[in-house]
Coordinates of all heavy atoms in Angstrom, one line a residue:
E1376 N 19.5 2.2 -11.3 CA 19.3 2.3 -9.8 C 18.4 3.5 -9.4 O 17.5 3.3 -8.6 CB 20.6 2.4 -9.1 CG 21.4 1.1 -9.1 CD 22.8 1.2 -8.6 OE1 23.2 2.3 -8.0 OE2 23.6 0.2 -8.6
R1377 N 18.6 4.6 -10.1 CA 17.8 5.8 -9.8 C 16.4 5.5 -10.2 O 15.5 5.9 -9.4 CB 18.3 7.0 -10.6 CG 19.7 7.5 -10.2 CD 19.7 8.4 -9.0 NE 18.8 9.5 -9.2 CZ 19.1 10.8 -9.2 NH1 20.3 11.1 -8.9 NH2 18.2 11.7 -9.3
D1378 N 16.1 4.9 -11.3 CA 14.8 4.6 -11.7 C 14.1 3.6 -10.8 O 12.9 3.8 -10.4 CB 14.8 4.0 -13.2 CG 13.4 3.8 -13.7 OD1 12.6 4.7 -13.7 OD2 13.2 2.6 -14.1
E1379 N 14.8 2.6 -10.3 CA 14.3 1.6 -9.4 C 13.9 2.3 -8.1 O 12.9 2.0 -7.5 CB 15.2 0.5 -9.2 CG 15.3 -0.4 -10.4 CD 16.4 -1.5 -10.3 OE1 17.2 -1.5 -9.3 OE2 16.6 -2.3 -11.2
D1380 N 14.8 3.2 -7.6 CA 14.5 3.9 -6.3 C 13.3 4.8 -6.5 O 12.5 4.9 -5.5 CB 15.8 4.8 -6.0 CG 16.9 3.9 -5.5 OD1 16.8 2.7 -5.2 OD2 18.1 4.5 -5.4
A1381 N 13.2 5.5 -7.6 CA 12.0 6.3 -7.8 C 10.7 5.5 -7.8 O 9.7 5.9 -7.3 CB 12.1 7.1 -9.1
W1382 N 10.8 4.3 -8.5 CA 9.6 3.4 -8.5 C 9.3 3.0 -7.1 O 8.1 3.0 -6.7 CB 9.9 2.2 -9.4 CG 8.7 1.4 -9.7 CD1 7.9 1.5 -10.8 CD2 8.2 0.3 -8.9 NE1 6.9 0.6 -10.8 CE2 7.0 -0.2 -9.6 CE3 8.5 -0.2 -7.7 CZ2 6.2 -1.2 -9.1 CZ3 7.7 -1.3 -7.2 CH2 6.6 -1.7 -7.9
D1383 N 10.3 2.6 -6.3 CA 10.0 2.1 -5.0 C 9.4 3.3 -4.1 O 8.4 3.0 -3.4 CB 11.3 1.7 -4.3 CG 11.8 0.4 -4.8 OD1 11.1 -0.4 -5.5 OD2 13.0 0.1 -4.6
R1384 N 9.9 4.5 -4.3 CA 9.3 5.6 -3.5 C 7.8 5.8 -3.9 O 7.0 6.0 -3.1 CB 10.1 6.9 -3.8 CG 11.4 7.0 -2.9 CD 12.0 8.4 -3.0 NE 12.3 8.8 -4.3 CZ 13.4 8.5 -5.0 NH1 14.3 7.7 -4.5 NH2 13.5 9.0 -6.3
Q1385 N 7.6 5.8 -5.2 CA 6.2 6.0 -5.7 C 5.3 4.9 -5.2 O 4.2 5.1 -4.8 CB 6.2 6.0 -7.2 CG 4.8 6.3 -7.8 CD 4.3 7.7 -7.4 OE1 4.9 8.7 -7.6 NE2 3.1 7.8 -6.7
F1386 N 5.8 3.7 -5.2 CA 5.0 2.5 -4.7 C 4.6 2.7 -3.2 O 3.5 2.6 -2.8 CB 5.7 1.2 -4.9 CG 4.9 0.0 -4.5 CD1 3.9 -0.5 -5.2 CD2 5.2 -0.6 -3.3 CE1 3.2 -1.6 -4.8 CE2 4.5 -1.7 -2.8 CZ 3.5 -2.2 -3.6
E1387 N 5.6 3.1 -2.4 CA 5.4 3.3 -1.0 C 4.4 4.5 -0.8 O 3.5 4.4 0.1 CB 6.7 3.6 -0.3 CG 7.6 2.4 -0.2 CD 7.0 1.3 0.7 OE1 6.3 1.6 1.7 OE2 7.2 0.2 0.4
E1388 N 4.5 5.5 -1.6 CA 3.6 6.6 -1.5 C 2.1 6.2 -1.8 O 1.2 6.6 -1.1 CB 4.0 7.8 -2.4 CG 5.2 8.5 -1.9 CD 5.7 9.6 -3.0 OE1 4.9 9.9 -3.9 OE2 6.8 10.0 -2.8
D1389 N 2.0 5.4 -2.9 CA 0.7 4.9 -3.3 C 0.1 4.0 -2.2 O -1.1 4.0 -1.9 CB 0.8 4.1 -4.6 CG 1.0 5.0 -5.8 OD1 1.0 6.3 -5.6 OD2 1.4 4.5 -6.9
V1390 N 1.0 3.1 -1.6 CA 0.5 2.2 -0.5 C 0.0 3.0 0.7 O -1.1 2.8 1.2 CB 1.6 1.2 -0.1 CG1 1.2 0.5 1.2 CG2 1.8 0.2 -1.2
T1391 N 0.8 4.0 1.1 CA 0.5 4.8 2.2 C -0.8 5.6 2.0 O -1.6 5.8 2.9 CB 1.7 5.8 2.5 OG1 2.9 5.0 2.8 CG2 1.4 6.7 3.7
A1392 N -1.0 6.1 0.8 CA -2.2 6.9 0.4 C -3.4 6.0 0.2 O -4.5 6.5 0.0 CB -1.9 7.7 -0.9
G1393 N -3.2 4.7 0.3 CA -4.4 3.8 0.1 C -4.8 3.5 -1.3 O -5.8 2.9 -1.5
K1394 N -4.0 3.9 -2.2 CA -4.3 3.7 -3.7 C -4.4 2.3 -4.1 O -5.0 2.0 -5.2 CB -3.3 4.5 -4.5 CG -3.4 6.0 -4.4 CD -2.5 6.7 -5.3 CE -2.6 8.2 -5.2 NZ -1.6 8.9 -6.1
L1395 N -3.8 1.4 -3.3 CA -3.8 0.0 -3.7 C -4.8 -0.9 -2.9 O -4.9 -2.1 -3.1 CB -2.4 -0.6 -3.6 CG -1.4 0.1 -4.5 CD1 0.0 -0.4 -4.2 CD2 -1.7 0.1 -5.9
D1396 N -5.5 -0.2 -2.0 CA -6.4 -0.9 -1.1 C -7.4 -1.8 -1.8 O -7.7 -2.9 -1.5 CB -7.1 0.0 -0.1 CG -6.1 0.6 0.9 OD1 -4.9 0.2 0.9 OD2 -6.6 1.5 1.6
D1397 N -8.1 -1.2 -2.9 CA -9.1 -1.9 -3.6 C -8.5 -3.2 -4.3 O -9.1 -4.2 -4.3 CB -9.8 -1.0 -4.6 CG -10.7 0.0 -4.0 OD1 -11.1 -0.2 -2.8 OD2 -11.0 1.0 -4.7
L1398 N -7.3 -3.0 -4.8 CA -6.7 -4.2 -5.4 C -6.4 -5.3 -4.4 O -6.5 -6.5 -4.7 CB -5.4 -3.8 -6.2 CG -5.5 -2.9 -7.4 CD1 -4.2 -2.4 -7.9 CD2 -6.2 -3.7 -8.5
A1399 N -5.9 -4.9 -3.2 CA -5.6 -5.9 -2.2 C -6.9 -6.6 -1.7 O -6.9 -7.8 -1.5 CB -4.9 -5.2 -1.0

């Protein structure tokens, strides 16, 4: 659960920072 939560937080940070925009 801790690992999944950390992954979710990192994903949200990456989305917010625009790191996935090119892939989208």
Side-chain angles (χ1 to χ4, degrees):
E1376 288 173 6
R1377 293 280 303 241
D1378 184 53
E1379 290 171 357
D1380 290 345
W1382 191 95
D1383 288 344
R1384 280 191 305 277
Q1385 184 64 56
F1386 181 79
E1387 287 298 325
E1388 288 174 15
D1389 290 349
V1390 169
T1391 301
K1394 292 181 179 180
L1395 304 175
D1396 290 353
D1397 288 341
L1398 290 173

